[in-house]
């Protein structure tokens, strides 16, 4: 199973890429919670750019995909 750190580490600095709930094998509800933190504080080695894609489940909107840009490696 690929972790977020494994996936991000394969990207070059400045690369723009997509992270989805399906890639991380998470339910949209769980991914939404994780992505909300990324929107506020950035993720491990990346920042969210653009507007997150949302999915509707049982009448509620959940973030299911975000576009991010890789930031400089921390020393």
């Amino acid at each position: 199973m690929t972790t977020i750190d494994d996936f991000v580490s394969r990207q070059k600095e400045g690369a723009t890429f997509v992270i989805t709930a399906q890639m991380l094998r998470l339910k949209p509800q769980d991914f939404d919670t994780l992505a909300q933190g990324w929107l506020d504080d950035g993720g491990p080695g990346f920042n969210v750019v653009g507007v997150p894609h949302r999915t509707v489940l049982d009448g509620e909107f959940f973030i299911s995909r975000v576009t991010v840009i890789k930031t400089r490696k921390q020393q």
Side-chain angles (χ1 to χ4, degrees), residues 11-68:
Q11 308 300 318
K12 292 182 179 182
E13 182 180 333
T16 302
F17 56 100
V18 173
I19 301 173
T20 68
Q22 185 177 18
M23 286 171 45
L24 299 178
R25 299 177 191 226
L26 293 173
K27 294 179 183 178
Q29 298 90 324
D30 297 331
F31 186 79
D32 182 82
T33 302
L34 191 59
Q36 290 292 343
W38 295 341
L39 286 170
D40 296 337
D41 303 322
F46 61 85
N47 289 318
V48 177
V49 294
V51 177
H53 179 267
R54 297 180 190 276
T55 299
V56 179
L57 294 172
D58 296 326
E60 291 187 56
F61 287 91
F62 296 99
I63 296 172
S64 61
R65 180 176 66 219
V66 291
T67 302
V68 301

